Amino acid sequence: MRAAAFTSIGGPEVMRVMEFPDPQAGPGQVRVRVKTAGVQHYDCAIRSGWTPSYGVAVNLPQIPGNEFAGIVDQVGDGVTGFSVGNPVLGFTTLNGYAEYVVVSADQIVSKPDTMSWEEAGGLTGNGQGAYIALKAIGVKPGDTILINGAAGSLGAFAVQLAKELGAKAVIGTASESNHEFLRSLGAIPVTYEEGLAERVRALAPNGVDAVFDTAGGEGIRAAVELVRDKNRICTFFAYDLIEELGLRVVRGERSAAQLAELVDLHSKGRLHIQIRQIYMLDQAEDAHRAIETRHGRGKIVLRIN
């Protein structure tokens, strides 16, 4: 099979399309012929040499990619609920940028006809990430929430899910060019620059209950000024500031049940997936370069097959 992989740690330029043996589904597993794969900052961090503390083994040459959508084309012993030919979307830790991926059958859900392949390939990583973060900071009906970096894929999911969880007001930081987009999602936009805490206080005179940070910078420092309980602040970006600012590390497990909830919200028209750009497999280097600029709106997706 063809896959985009890296043979050495480095920048986007280390990404190459290579040939690998076709993986085979074992007991309890399915093999998916991948049509689309989402691109995440996580993938770029792995490529750059970051090793997660929770036991992810990187073996060169390594195929990155942790979310995908495609067609089941092989079913291992003991698998029920899925058959060859079923359209699905799912999650993995690595190996998503490939023509085939093998995962446990509890890492996929059925793809509805109303969801495009690009949307399906880009849902599970940031969608579940936002879900985990908002649950960790306890978003509840009546809350006022600040989401830092709200126009990116992770932030846009968080805006919508915060509204689903009953937040009274969602304030989102973004560049001015993305303010209308945030309004369309139901957020109150605000610019990033210095003085953010004061601008947020003007928008929320009764205070901010919780913050989800996806961009770092002024946003995460403003969070500790604005929120009384630091347990209600979560960053998925400024890991280097967690200890300094007295924050906790938030982790959570992705699951098929969570993913099914997100798919259901999409099917009901209550969760929208903004596709920023689509790249072909042999453009994985360009996709990584684009996402690392941290500019733009929505999800970057690779088209594999």
Side-chain angles (χ1 to χ4, degrees):
M1 70 174 183
R2 296 171 72 245
F6 55 93
T7 57
S8 61
I9 298 301
E13 69 279 357
V14 301
M15 294 297 299
R16 296 282 186 277
V17 173
M18 304 170 61
E19 292 284 342
F20 289 83
D22 291 351
Q24 305 299 316
Q29 296 179 322
V30 296
R31 185 174 75 180
V32 177
R33 185 171 187 267
V34 179
K35 294 184 76 69
T36 55
V39 178
Q40 289 191 267
H41 292 288
Y42 179 96
D43 309 335
C44 299
I46 292 284
R47 185 213 69 226
S48 300
W50 173 67
T51 302
S53 60
Y54 43 89
V56 175
V58 175
N59 299 301
L60 302 177
Q62 180 63 64
I63 305 167
N66 64 77
E67 55 182 351
F68 62 88
I71 305 289
V72 174
D73 87 326
Q74 195 179 82
V75 176
D77 291 343
V79 172
T80 59
F82 295 100
S83 304
V84 170
N86 289 164
V88 297
L89 62 153
F91 55 96
T92 179
T93 302
L94 296 165
N95 303 316
Y97 298 1
E99 290 181 316
Y100 295 97
V101 64
V102 168
V103 295
S104 171
D106 63 5
Q107 291 173 239
I108 59 171
V109 300
S110 296
K111 183 189 87 68
D113 293 340
T114 53
M115 181 180 286
S116 72
W117 284 113
E118 289 73 25
E119 291 172 319
L123 172 60
T124 182
N126 290 147
Q128 293 207 65
Y131 187 105
I132 288 165
L134 296 182
K135 288 290 189 179
I137 60 176
V139 176
K140 62 185 185 299
D143 277 348
T144 294
I145 309 299
L146 173 64
I147 296 172
N148 186 40
S153 178
L154 181 58
F157 278 122
V159 169
Q160 296 174 83
L161 292 174
K163 299 292 284 186
E164 282 295 319
L165 291 169
K168 176 181 66 177
V170 179
I171 300 169
T173 69
S175 58
E176 256 185 78
S177 61
N178 285 318
H179 283 194
E180 195 55 43
F181 170 62
L182 292 190
R183 290 188 187 99
S184 76
L185 298 179
I188 303 165
V190 62
T191 52
Y192 288 109
E193 291 84 7
E194 189 175 345
L196 174 61
E198 288 72 24
R199 290 194 298 280
V200 171
R201 285 192 186 100
L203 293 170
N206 293 324
V208 172
D209 298 294
V211 175
F212 177 35
D213 166 54
T214 76
E218 183 74 12
I220 188 61
R221 295 192 180 277
V224 297
E225 291 184 47
L226 293 164
V227 178
R228 188 175 295 109
D229 180 0
K230 288 185 178 181
N231 284 325
R232 301 201 70 192
I233 300 172
C234 168
T235 181
F236 277 7
F237 182 79
Y239 293 106
D240 57 325
L241 295 177
I242 285 177
E243 186 174 349
E244 175 190 332
L245 298 177
L247 306 179
R248 64 187 177 116
V249 176
V250 172
R251 292 199 185 94
E253 293 294 325
R254 293 181 290 178
S255 71
Q258 279 182 174
L259 182 53
E261 286 186 48
L262 298 176
V263 170
D264 184 57
L265 286 173
H266 180 274
S267 296
K268 292 174 178 175
R270 286 156 47 190
L271 181 65
H272 301 281
I273 306 164
Q274 176 80 18
I275 301 299
R276 172 178 158 191
Q277 200 161 356
I278 300 165
Y279 292 87
M280 303 305 291
L281 180 62
D282 60 5
Q283 297 175 305
E285 172 185 345
D286 297 328
H288 275 215
R289 221 176 280 285
I291 198 172
E292 287 187 321
T293 66
R294 291 203 163 266
H295 296 300
R297 174 192 308 166
K299 188 71 189 181
I300 292 175
V301 177
L302 291 178
R303 185 174 288 140
I304 311 293
N305 283 303

